[in-house]
Each structure stands twice: as structure tokens, then as C-alpha cells.
């Protein structure tokens, strides 16, 4: 066979001996999957897998978890899964009911009952309400249901008063669809209207105005984008006094064009393609991903700028800088209450919250709510509510601190008893963390960059390299990994222990790496590992692995790594590029074949992140981080578990299948594969499947890193 380095991209397709596995639902292919599943399940049957699965399911099914809610009118809506309702309940309650010790819920939709009645295993995807006329209650919603947990879903109109689907109401067939209410009797629908209506990324490119009772093919075209762009959709802003239509042409993951409907035409908001645009009442917020020169003022990448919308559309460029990034401080998100703007920041990957008051010349104050090495997110409860317009939620969590949901009011006069947030709900402890310590360390990557990581371990840990350690990461799409409490991680890993041959008690160590490619330090941190610079993310992760070894926390035979999706690509590169650093690899719902990723599922939409393998020049760098093509017969690979889901229509299962098949074909004898037959990109459609997925990964890693893997 011709070497990978000498092949053209087209040669790679012809020489791919496992192309046949790309037929996702073929009988021969599924027979291969079932045979692989049997081998993996046989391996796990000799471990504590079943006990671990049940203990993790207890966490996921616990009725003491915080039921997170969304306020619409006077009601608080929640979707809930537990042991009695594995597919879940959509339900609601009042504020007094929510704060009561024993909340009484009104069930709106029982998905278990619906699935049984309709013979389809429905998976909840959310609900989108129609804003009622002033003085009326919220009543109509579009309920999003997936038949298998994938991104393709069905929209059905539901009446929360009648607690039933609306007879003859809107019912959009299963597809990758984006929908917005256009009015009480019409929708803006971006979906699969037939040939030519979808982009190369498998998302809608056409938006049509669908009126009640109208067939989709008869609907009038309202907006469209070119087929080589990622997606187009239209959103109707229902804010009273600011009703308007916005259209978004998403070119790729980082470039887009925003339009505002004016005089029966689309008016472009004139900003660079990489500037994120947010409209709120009279304000226009803008966040550039690269430095943006406006007049003589240079606005740094990751800053947040404000302008009066009408003035900006008229050509004015009177921009107000609301946030300027620092080397260790980045803006993660923002949320509007009625009179304030909440900014969620990270300072060396710990939360900080600022409150800005537009009426006071954007005066900023810091919300005293963020302990070190914790994540605290603030967002509005309901900015349109007359009484609660300046109320905000706080969700605080840490690796050993169970999550707490609090509620406060911004701008409350002194002495009113409001203002500072008060706890509303708290999650229980699911594992004993009394002697756990959380530390932040910094590794030095190959180019000298300091890379932060969190370490969760037990007091008294012996630093002799003998501790079973799991290193997790992601490093892509400007997504930040932050401290968070997880009963699954606690029970699945931190509570584990064994006594080694020398009589030393060993307990699980959990490590989270904040490598480049993520968003922990803003867009520059992400852009540093894009496309031809992708290896910086992998060098960062390898540097953390080496630092753990150098500090005596662990050693190669006791260090495992795990990641999902883009994180699966990350650990796939650890497997192929740095096999000497790891004793085991757990690789979930991964990208691995970077030659064909643009042709599989939604892969074309990620060209901006990884590059285009059909461009020979770009394939030259892409092939250097394509694990499927980096496998070699003369390399000793660590034990590996590769797992995925048949119904994943985002990454798809075929890359995982092909990687495992090629590893087995070249003689790698310690590679296992498992494919859930449903579950979507999350790998699980209900709590039982999720518990099984996590238990499988943790059980495999524990067996491998403690020398018990047969």
C-alpha cells in the first residue's frame, strides 16, 4: 500500500478498506457492530460494571437533583427524567410551588406514555413558546421531539392549557429543522424542503413562511443562503415594542451575516463576518473574534461593544466598549435583565460576574458571588416581566461543591430584603468529597505556553507515580471546560480505590485540561489551535500528561485519557501520536477519519475548525492529525475503548467503526468497540443509557490503569 504521506486525498478514498462500514444501517454492518458489542460486553461482565452502572444511574435518576426551570408568564417549566419516567416528563409549577419543600408539578406531557401510544421512542428536544398578547397567558408552544436522540426532530404544536397537541396544528416532519414563531398562525421554517434545500453541511439553507394549514411545499420563500454555507434561519423577535425579523446566514462556525427586515427587504448589519451580533431592544451588542479597527480605534478580539441600533444602521460608529479582554480574563457569555447587562467572565478559568447599567453610562460593578476555582453563571429570569424584570438566576458549582441555584434582584433599594441572591435549590452530595482537594496547576507546552489544568485528588496522595488518573479535555470550537460538580465523576472515578502490591492505598485522581482550541482565554486561545496549528492543542494535552508524571501524581501505566466528539479526536491523537504517555484511552463519539469527515453526517460544517481535506494543500496538514491515517503496525498502542451511537447524526458512528476495524486489522489486540443502537451525539437517549455509557468508560479505564485488564 502507498504510504499515507505520498497519497493524494482521492487515493485515500480508494485505499480505504473499511469504506463498507459507512453504510450506517446495513445488515452486514450492524452484524459487525453486534459482534463487537458482544466482545466488549463480555470483557465488562467480568468487572464491577453492573454495580457501577447502577450507582451512576442512582445519581442520574435522583429525585433530589435540582429541577432547572424556565419562566414563562406565571409558570415555571421543567423537563425531568428519573427511574419512574426514563423518557421524561414536561411539567410546570408556580413560584410558590417551586420554592416549597415538596414541589407539586402539573404534568403537561409524559414522553413514556406518548412513546408507548405512538410506537416511537421519542426523545425530548425542548419547547418554543408563542408570546401571547398583553394580558393573556402563555398557551401555545412548539414541542421538539427526536425519534432516536439525533439532531433530526419533529416539531408539534402543543396547548399547555388543554395539555394536548393542537388538533390540526403545526406538525413538521422529522428533519434538521430551525423554527421561529412568525405570529399566532404562521412560522418561519428552515428545514428539508426537498432537493437543493439543504447545505453541504446537511443543514437547511432555505427559510419559508408557513401558514396554519399550509403544506410545506406551498410556503413562500422568505430567506435563503448559498449551498456551500453552513445554515440559514430566521428569528422573529417577540419583545413588545421591538417586534422584528432577524435572519442569519451562517457561513461557517465562526463567520456569519446578520440581517434585519426593513421595508420588505433584508438590511445587512454591517460588521465583519467574524463579529457576533446580539440585538436587545434598542441596543446592538458586538463581539469580534479577531481585532477590529473602527475608525482609528482598534477593538481587541474577545471584547464586547455596544451601540444604539438605529444609529449604527444609519452609519454611526459611536461604539462603547463594555469589556476588554486581558491575557487571563475572557468573556464567556452575557444576559440582559430589564435594566442591566450581566457579563459572565473567566479569570484563569474561575468565574467572575460583572453587572453593567446602561442608564448609568454603563457603570460596571462586580457581583460578589464567585469563590475561587468554581463556576458561577448568572442570567436573567424573565426580562419582560413587570415584577421580575431585573431578577437573575445564579448557578454555582465546583468539583467538590454540589450545585446551588439562587435568585436575586438587581438594583433593589437597600433595606428591601432583595438584591443579593438567595439559595432556592441545592443538589445533594452524591459522593464523599470530605478529604478531596481541588488544585489548579500549569503545564508548559512545547512552544512555552502555560496551560492550566485542574486536579481533583484525595488528601495524603502519595506522589510516587502510582495513582490511577483520568485526564479529560476537549480543545475545540472555543468551548471552555470549567469546574463543575458531577456525581458521575465522583462515583465513577474519585470514590474508587484499591491497594497495590506494595500495600499502598490508591484512589482515583481526576484531571481536567484547559488546552488551546477551547475558549478558556477567549478567541485568541481558540484560534491558536485552528487548522494548521491544530497540533498545539495536542501538544498542550501531552504537556499536562507529562507534568502529572513529573510531579509524581501518576505514571504512564496509571494514566488514562478520555474525550468525546472533538475530544474524541483529541484522545485519538493521543493514541496515535503520544502512545508512550498513556496506559489507556477511552474515545467517545469521535472524529477520527479526517480525510472523509466532511462527507460524513454534519462534518462539512467543521471545515473552519479543521480545514478542507479536499484541498491538497490543506490535506498536507490535516493528515498529520488524522488518527485513522496515523495508525502503524510497528507501534505498541495502549488499551483502547472506542464507543459511539448508531443514531448520532452529527459526527456519526462510522469513524469510530472504521478506527476500531483498522486497529484490529493491523494486529492491535487490545482495542474494544461499542456502539449504542440509539442515543444521538450524546451517546444516550435516557438516564439508563447515559449511566451505561459512563460506566463502560470508567470501568474500562480502571481495569486498564490498575493492571487488571485481561
Amino acid at each position: 500500500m502507498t504510504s499515507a504521506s505520498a497519497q493524494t486525498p482521492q487515493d485515500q478514498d480508494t485505499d480505504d478498506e473499511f469504506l463498507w462500514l459507512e453504510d450506517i444501517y446495513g445488515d452486514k454492518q450492524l452484524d459487525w457492530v453486534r459482534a463487537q458489542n458482544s466482545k466488549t460486553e463480555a470483557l465488562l461482565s467480568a468487572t464491577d460494571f453492573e454495580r457501577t452502572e447502577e450507582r451512576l444511574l442512582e445519581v442520574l435518576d435522583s429525585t433530589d437533583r435540582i429541577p432547572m426551570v424556565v419562566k414563562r408568564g406565571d409558570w415555571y417549566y421543567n423537563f425531568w427524567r428519573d427511574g419512574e419516567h426514563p423518557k421524561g416528563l414536561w411539567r410546570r409549577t408556580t413560584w410558590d410551588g417551586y420554592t416549597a419543600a415538596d414541589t407539586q408539578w402539573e404534568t403537561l406531557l409524559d414522553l413514556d406514555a406518548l412513546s408507548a401510544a405512538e410506537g416511537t421512542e421519542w426523545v425530548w428536544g425542548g419547547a418554543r413558546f408563542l408570546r401571547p398578547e398583553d394580558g393573556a397567558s402563555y398557551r401555545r408552544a412548539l414541542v421538539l421531539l427526536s425519534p432516536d436522540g439525533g439532531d433530526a426532530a419533529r416539531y408539534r404544536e402543543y396547548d399547555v392549557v388543554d395539555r394536548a397537541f393542537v388538533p390540526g396544528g403545526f406538525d413538521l416532519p422529522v428533519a434538521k429543522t430551525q423554527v421561529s414563531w412568525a405570529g399566532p398562525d404562521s412560522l418561519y421554517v428552515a428545514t428539508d424542503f426537498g432537493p437543493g434545500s439543504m447545505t453541504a453541511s446537511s443543514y437547511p439553507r432555505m427559510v419559508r413562511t408557513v401558514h396554519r394549514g399550509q403544506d410545506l411545499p406551498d410556503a413562500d420563500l422568505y430567506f435563503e443562503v448559498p449551498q456551500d454555507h453552513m445554515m440559514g434561519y430566521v428569528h422573529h423577535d417577540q419583545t413588545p415594542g421591538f417586534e422584528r425579523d432577524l435572519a442569519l446566514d451562517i457561513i461557517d462556525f465562526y463567520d456569519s451575516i446578520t440581517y434585519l427586515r426593513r421595508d420588505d427587504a433584508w438590511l445587512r448589519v454591517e460588521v465583519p463576518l467574524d463579529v457576533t451580533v446580539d440585538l436587545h431592544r434598542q441596543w446592538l451588542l458586538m463581539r469580534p473574534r479577531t481585532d477590529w479597527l473602527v475608525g482609528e480605534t482598534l477593538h481587541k478580539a474577545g471584547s464586547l461593544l455596544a451601540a444604539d441600533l438605529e444609529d449604527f444602521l444609519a452609519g454611526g460608529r459611536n461604539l462603547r466598549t463594555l469589556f476588554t479582554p486581558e491575557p487571563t480574563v475572557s468573556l464567556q457569555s452575557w444576559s440582559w435583565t430589564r435594566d442591566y447587562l450581566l457579563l459572565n467572565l473567566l479569570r484563569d478559568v474561575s468565574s467572575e460576574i460583572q453587572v453593567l447599567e446602561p442608564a448609568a453610562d454603563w457603570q460596571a460593578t462586580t457581583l460578589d458571588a464567585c469563590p475561587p476555582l468554581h463556576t458561577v453563571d448568572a442570567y436573567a429570569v424573565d426580562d419582560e416581566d413587570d415584577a421580575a424584570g431585573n431578577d437573575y438566576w445564579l448557578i454555582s458549582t465546583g468539583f467538590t461543591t454540589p450545585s446551588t441555584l439562587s435568585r436575586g434582584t438587581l438594583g433593589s433599594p437597600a433595606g428591601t430584603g432583595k438584591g443579593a441572591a438567595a439559595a432556592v435549590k441545592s443538589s445533594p452530595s452524591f459522593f464523599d468529597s470530605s478529604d478531596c482537594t481541588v488544585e489548579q496547576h500549569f503545564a508548559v507546552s512545547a512552544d512555552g505556553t502555560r496551560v492550566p489544568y485542574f486536579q481533583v485528588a484525595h488528601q495524603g496522595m502519595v506522589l510516587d507515580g502510582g495513582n490511577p488518573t483520568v485526564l479529560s479535555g476537549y480543545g475545540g470550537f472555543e468551548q471552555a471546560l470549567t469546574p463543575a460538580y458531577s456525581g458521575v465523576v465522583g462515583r465513577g472515578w474519585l470514590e474508587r480505590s484499591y491497594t497495590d502490591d506494595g500495600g499502598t492505598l490508591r484512589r482515583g485522581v481526576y484531571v481536567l485540561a484547559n488546552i488551546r482550541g477551547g475558549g478558556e482565554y477567549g478567541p485568541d486561545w481558540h484560534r491558536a489551535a485552528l487548522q494548521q496549528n491544530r497540533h498545539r492543542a495536542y501538544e498542550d494535552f501531552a504537556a499536562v500528561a507529562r507534568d502529572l508524571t513529573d510531579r509524581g501524581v501518576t505514571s504512564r501505566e496509571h494514566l488514562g485519557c478520555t474525550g468525546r466528539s472533538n475530544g474524541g479526536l483529541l484522545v485519538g491523537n493521543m493514541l496515535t501520536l503520544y502512545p508512550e504517555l498513556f496506559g489507556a484511552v477511552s474515545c467517545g463519539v469521535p472524529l477520527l477519519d479526517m480525510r472523509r469527515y466532511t462527507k460524513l453526517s454534519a462534518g462539512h460544517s467543521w471545515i473552519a475548525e479543521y480545514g478542507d481535506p479536499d484541498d491538497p494543500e490543506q490535506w498536507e496538514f490535516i493528515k498529520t492529525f488524522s488518527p485513522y491515517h496515523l495508525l502503524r503496525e510497528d507501534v505498541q498502542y495502549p488499551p483502547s475503548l472506542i464507543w459511539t451511537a448508531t443514531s448520532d447524526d452529527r459526527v456519526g458512528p462510522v469513524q469510530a467503526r472504521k478506527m476500531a476495524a483498522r486497529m484490529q486489522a493491523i494486529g492491535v489486540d487490545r482495542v474494544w468497540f461499542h456502539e449504542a443502537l440509539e442515543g444521538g451525539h450524546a451517546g444516550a437517549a435516557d438516564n439508563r443509557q447515559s449511566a451505561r455509557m459512563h460506566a463502560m468508560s470508567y470501568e474500562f479505564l480502571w481495569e486498564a490503569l490498575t493492571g487488571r485488564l485481561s
Side-chain angles (χ1 to χ4, degrees), residues 37-313:
N37 285 357
S38 295
K39 294 178 184 178
T40 302
E41 289 161 6
L43 171 76
L44 295 171
S45 67
T47 71
D48 286 336
F49 169 73
E50 290 187 2
R51 177 175 177 272
T52 300
E53 179 185 4
E54 291 304 319
R55 294 191 74 237
L56 299 189
L57 185 60
E58 286 177 3
V59 174
L60 298 174
D61 277 347
S62 169
T63 57
D64 293 330
R65 290 171 292 128
I66 299 175
M68 302 302 297
V69 291
V70 174
K71 181 179 179 296
R72 291 291 180 266
D74 295 331
W75 293 91
Y76 292 78
Y77 292 81
N78 164 261
F79 183 75
W80 183 260
R81 290 191 184 110
D82 58 26
E84 188 178 349
H85 308 95
K87 294 197 174 302
L89 300 173
W90 188 36
R91 57 191 190 172
R92 68 179 184 176
T93 188
T94 62
W95 178 245
D96 288 341
Y98 188 61
T99 56
D102 183 18
T103 300
Q104 298 301 306
W105 296 93
E106 175 189 350
T107 298
L108 300 173
L109 187 60
D110 183 332
L111 259 67
D112 294 273
L114 180 70
S115 297
E118 298 186 346
T120 301
E121 300 298 311
W122 293 116
V123 179
W124 180 255
R128 299 182 181 178
F129 275 95
L130 169 68
R131 194 186 192 284
E133 295 180 358
D134 290 345
S137 299
Y138 280 85
R139 181 164 186 159
R140 296 289 178 90
L142 294 171
V143 170
L144 179 61
L145 300 171
S146 166
D148 55 14
D151 289 348
R154 178 180 176 185
Y155 282 84
R156 302 166 72 176
E157 188 176 6
Y158 193 86
D159 188 313
V160 298
V161 176
D162 292 342
R163 290 189 290 179
F165 291 107
V166 176
F170 290 112
D171 190 347
L172 304 179
V174 173
K176 289 186 177 181
T177 302
Q178 293 288 333
V179 173
S180 173
W181 287 98
D185 296 307
S186 56
L187 305 175
Y188 294 138
V189 179
T191 192
D192 186 349
F193 293 103
S197 66
M198 304 294 279
T199 68
S201 298
S202 78
Y203 294 107
R205 58 173 290 263
M206 294 180 176
V207 183
R208 296 181 181 272
T209 306
V210 180
H211 300 291
R212 188 174 298 279
Q214 186 178 35
D215 293 333
L216 288 180
D218 298 332
D220 291 333
L221 182 67
Y222 193 45
F223 181 73
E224 64 179 328
V225 303
Q227 193 167 22
D228 61 349
H229 288 192
M230 180 178 165
M231 180 171 59
Y233 71 89
V234 172
H235 168 71
H236 178 65
D237 187 347
Q238 303 180 69
T239 306
F242 295 92
E243 295 88 349
R244 54 201 169 193
D245 288 347
L246 301 170
L248 197 61
D249 175 0
I250 303 177
I251 300 171
D252 57 40
F253 248 89
Y254 311 111
D255 292 338
S256 62
I257 304 172
T258 300
Y259 297 92
L260 185 63
R261 192 71 171 180
R262 289 287 173 88
D263 300 324
D264 295 326
W266 291 110
L267 175 64
R268 178 173 175 171
V269 179
E270 293 290 348
V271 297
L273 296 179
D274 69 349
V275 173
T276 300
V277 169
D278 176 35
L279 274 65
H280 179 81
R281 295 190 172 92
Q282 74 270 35
W283 297 110
L284 169 66
L285 294 188
M286 296 159 285
R287 179 182 182 265
R289 294 194 67 258
T290 54
D291 292 350
W292 180 22
L293 184 64
V294 180
E296 297 182 355
T297 303
L298 183 68
H299 299 284
K300 295 179 63 176
S303 59
L304 186 65
L305 313 170
D308 177 273
L309 175 61
E310 295 303 324
D311 177 69
F312 190 89
L313 293 176

Side-chain angles (χ1 to χ4, degrees), residues 21-25 33 150-151 176 202-203 564-566 587-593 596-597 599-604 606 642-659 673-676 679-683:
L21 283 170
E22 293 187 4
D23 183 356
I24 295 177
Y25 294 101
V33 167
D151 289 348
K176 289 186 177 181
S202 78
Y203 294 107
R564 289 191 283 174
S565 191
N566 174 74
C587 180
V589 289
L591 286 89
L592 294 166
D593 178 357
R596 289 183 53 77
Y597 86 91
K599 299 175 175 62
L600 301 172
S601 300
H604 193 272
W606 308 320
I642 303 173
W643 47 275
T644 186
T646 308
S647 59
D648 181 0
D649 55 1
R650 193 176 309 170
V651 169
V654 300
Q655 303 203 40
R657 292 179 182 180
K658 290 165 61 178
M659 184 74 171
F673 174 88
H674 196 275
E675 182 173 319
H681 188 53

